[in-house]
């Protein structure tokens, strides 16, 4: 479960230091290499709840095996890509392939919890979160080392052996558990309307110009049809009636989107600026992000077994505000110690927020739809990542300069401030982790 769940963050984070070398190799600007980021996240945003629902219906094992095998094929395609757009296609396939492991893992945890009677899997949730945090923050350094050793192709090629290991271990060890859902019917039309709506809206965000006015219109129209259908069918893809009555879970999804808009915009924007603005190499930029790794891992390890989430979210939101504000102080000749200190500070919210939202989801979601709920949590995470990719395309249109970084910092401060307000205002967070039953019982509000 751990190895499968890290396939997505390792591919997300390694690319942070590869965008500039890839752009130079194909002779394209940052506004085009941003599609490498958005292609993965768009596919993942659509794929996570879709595959999560399939996990609920057909069980986690087979979806895990199919998804990790597809990730290996995508890595091979990316390694051999002759141009940027084939590389983008490989990232799209990678997004779908890596969408299976996290909802499969959450579904397995829920089924094992019910089978064994152990209602509080906070230790296992912490292990999953720590592994994702570790690989996400070590990824830039790993990517830099791979690029230094054999070029940017290696950050795609590494998916082949990782995928093979996942398939072998999954086939040997994952239990042949029965599906947690009560039905074997799949709402394929609902999935297609959902995918169409989200795709159209995200494509517009990547290039928000008047000439593409039809994209948000198509997205909203498809979204309206999706909502009408889901409210009418007996076995919907996303049960909007239950979801609409679960205000705490909706708040968790919103927080996830806001937090990762800021987090990914900082992650990719700062990494590109270190190379194009500060003039560092890809391996050097990766090494400068290692302090982020150390603090994120340390914070997650120290707080992982504590079920309460509200304090973690508030502290994480405050530090996100401070980290984004610090971007305004960076210059082309900023000393290395300042860059190291900033990376270390930003690592703290990176280690707090993801685990806190994951624990909140486990306490708030309907157990029968844990796979699709976990997929939706990742969807909102990658919607935030798509917002961040759009910000990079807009503010780094002429390159990752200090002026572009400063311009991007202001909206990020605003997003982090809204996230802080939501964390302090949500009283339901105080109940998460207060008792063992709170770790397993969804809290619904009428």
């Amino acid at each position: 479960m751990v190895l499968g769940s890290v396939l997505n963050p390792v591919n997300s984070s390694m690319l942070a230091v590869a965008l500039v070398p890839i752009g130079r190799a194909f002779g394209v600007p940052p506004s085009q290499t941003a599609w490498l980021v958005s292609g993965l996240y768009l596919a993942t945003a659509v794929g996570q709840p879709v595959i999560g629902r399939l996990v609920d219906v057909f069980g986690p094992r087979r979806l895990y095996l199919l998804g990790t095998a597809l990730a290996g094929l995508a890595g091979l395609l990316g390694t051999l890509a002759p141009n940027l757009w084939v590389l983008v296609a490989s990232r799209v396939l990678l997004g779908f392939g890596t969408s299976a492991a996290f909802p499969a893992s959450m579904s397995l945890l829920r089924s094992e919890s019910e089978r064994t009677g152990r209602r509080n899997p906070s230790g296992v949730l912490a292990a999953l979160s720590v592994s994702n945090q570790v690989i996400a923050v070590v990824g830039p350094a790993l990517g830099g080392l791979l690029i230094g050793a054999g070029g940017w192709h290696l950050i795609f090629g590494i998916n082949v052996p990782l995928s093979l290991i996942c398939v072998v271990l999954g086939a040997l060890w994952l239990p042949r558990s029965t599906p947690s859902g009560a039905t074997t019917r799949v709402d394929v039309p609902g999935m297609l309307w959902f995918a169409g709506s989200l795709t159209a809206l995200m494509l517009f965000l990547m290039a928000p110009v008047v000439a593409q006015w039809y994209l948000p219109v198509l997205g909203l129209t498809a979204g309206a049809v999706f909502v009408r259908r889901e409210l009418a069918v007996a076995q919907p893809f996303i049960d909007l009636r239950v979801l609409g009555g679960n205000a705490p879970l909706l708040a968790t999804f919103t927080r996830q989107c806001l937090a990762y808009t800021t987090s990914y915009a900082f992650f990719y924007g700062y990494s590109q600026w270190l190379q194009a603005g500060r003039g560092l190499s890809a391996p050097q930029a990766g090494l400068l992000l290692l302090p982020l790794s150390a603090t994120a891992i340390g914070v997650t390890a120290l707080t992982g077994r504590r079920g309460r989430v509200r304090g973690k979210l508030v502290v994480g939101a405050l530090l996100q505000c401070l980290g984004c504000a610090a971007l305004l102080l960076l210059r082309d000749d900023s000393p290395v110690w300042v860059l190291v200190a900033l990376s270390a500070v930003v690592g703290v919210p990176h280690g707090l927020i993801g685990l806190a939202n994951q624990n909140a989801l486990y306490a708030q979601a309907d157990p029968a739809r844990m796979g699709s709920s976990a997929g939706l949590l990742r969807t909102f995470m990658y919607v935030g990542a798509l917002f961040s990719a759009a910000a990079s395309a807009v503010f780094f249109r002429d390159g990752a300069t200090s002026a572009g970084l400063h311009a991007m910092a202001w909206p990020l401060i605003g997003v982090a401030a809204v996230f802080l307000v939501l964390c302090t205002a949500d009283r339901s967070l105080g109940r998460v982790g207060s008792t063992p039953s709170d770790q397993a019982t969804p809290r619904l509000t009428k």
Side-chain angles (χ1 to χ4, degrees):
M1 288 193 300
V2 168
L3 186 57
S5 68
V6 302
L7 285 177
N8 195 281
V10 73
N11 281 284
S12 302
S13 57
M14 284 195 303
L15 190 70
V17 295
L19 291 174
V20 172
I22 290 172
R24 290 170 180 166
F26 292 124
V28 296
S31 58
Q32 291 188 32
T33 57
W35 280 102
L36 293 169
V37 180
S38 60
L40 175 74
Y41 292 151
L42 179 58
T44 307
V46 172
Q48 286 276 356
V50 170
I51 296 177
R53 184 56 185 151
L54 296 177
V55 166
D56 289 333
V57 173
F58 297 110
R61 186 177 186 270
R62 67 182 70 180
L63 271 301
Y64 175 96
L65 295 175
L66 288 172
T68 51
L70 182 59
L73 293 175
L76 182 61
L77 177 63
T79 305
L80 304 176
N83 57 58
L84 177 67
W85 300 111
V86 174
L87 202 61
V88 170
S90 76
R91 293 280 291 180
V92 172
L93 289 178
L94 197 60
F96 284 113
T98 57
S99 291
F102 181 69
S105 297
M106 294 294 284
S107 179
L108 279 169
L109 284 178
R110 171 61 70 178
S111 62
E112 286 299 290
S113 174
E114 293 176 349
R115 184 182 67 84
T116 62
R118 297 178 62 183
R119 307 296 292 174
N120 186 352
S122 59
V124 184
L125 288 172
L128 283 173
S129 183
V130 167
S131 63
N132 277 261
Q133 298 290 352
V134 168
I135 201 65
V137 294
V138 172
L142 175 62
L145 291 174
L146 290 173
I147 293 170
W152 59 263
H153 298 82
L154 288 184
I155 71 170
F156 291 88
I158 196 173
N159 287 287
V160 178
L162 288 177
S163 171
L164 181 61
I165 295 171
C166 286
V167 170
V168 172
L169 294 183
L172 290 175
W173 289 345
L174 289 184
R176 297 177 182 274
S177 57
T178 57
S180 60
T183 177
T184 57
R185 295 186 62 183
V186 178
D187 180 19
V188 175
M191 292 178 177
L192 293 176
W193 284 115
F194 173 83
S197 175
L198 188 59
T199 300
L201 292 173
M202 293 302 102
L203 287 175
F204 177 76
L205 285 175
M206 286 306 300
V209 294
V210 176
Q212 300 196 60
W213 60 269
Y214 57 91
L215 287 175
V217 173
L218 288 175
L220 292 174
T221 302
V225 175
F226 167 74
V227 170
R228 182 177 179 181
R229 174 181 172 79
E230 298 304 278
L231 293 175
V233 298
Q235 298 169 352
F237 161 46
I238 298 176
D239 195 335
L240 297 180
R241 295 184 186 89
V242 173
L243 188 62
N246 195 338
L249 184 59
L250 291 175
T252 295
F253 289 152
T254 303
R255 287 194 307 271
Q256 186 85 337
C257 181
L258 293 172
Y260 280 94
T261 297
T262 302
S263 179
Y264 276 106
F266 182 96
F267 205 62
Y268 284 105
Y270 185 58
S271 299
Q272 290 184 79
W273 174 82
L274 286 174
Q275 297 172 71
R278 184 61 175 75
L280 303 178
S281 66
Q284 289 172 331
L287 289 174
L288 272 178
L289 291 174
L290 279 179
L292 192 154
S293 311
T295 54
I297 294 167
V299 166
T300 305
L302 288 173
T303 65
R305 289 185 175 273
R306 299 174 185 175
R308 293 186 177 273
V309 302
R310 186 170 187 169
K312 298 176 187 178
L313 289 170
V314 171
V315 172
L318 281 170
L319 291 177
Q320 274 199 341
C321 292
L322 292 175
C324 293
L327 294 178
L328 298 170
L329 305 177
L330 297 181
R331 299 291 184 270
D332 291 350
D333 58 351
S334 292
V336 172
W337 71 266
V338 172
L339 306 179
V340 171
L342 179 57
S343 294
V345 170
V346 172
V348 177
H350 200 83
L352 290 173
I353 295 170
L355 177 59
N357 280 335
Q358 181 177 288
N359 285 341
L361 171 91
Y362 190 87
Q364 296 162 345
D366 178 4
R369 288 180 172 263
M370 183 58 69
S372 53
S373 296
L376 279 173
L377 185 71
R378 285 291 181 96
T379 290
F380 280 88
M381 171 181 171
Y382 290 120
V383 168
L386 283 167
F387 282 129
S388 75
S392 295
V394 171
F395 293 107
F396 290 167
R397 190 172 298 276
D398 298 321
T401 63
S402 294
L405 186 68
H406 298 162
M408 187 167 64
W410 286 110
L412 294 184
I413 294 171
V415 172
V418 173
F419 174 49
L420 175 60
V421 170
L422 291 182
C423 292
T424 55
D426 188 354
R427 296 183 178 181
S428 69
L429 293 174
R431 298 192 295 266
V432 177
S434 59
T435 66
S437 62
D438 286 332
Q439 298 294 330
T441 303
R443 296 193 176 272
L444 307 182
T445 58
K446 295 295 184 182

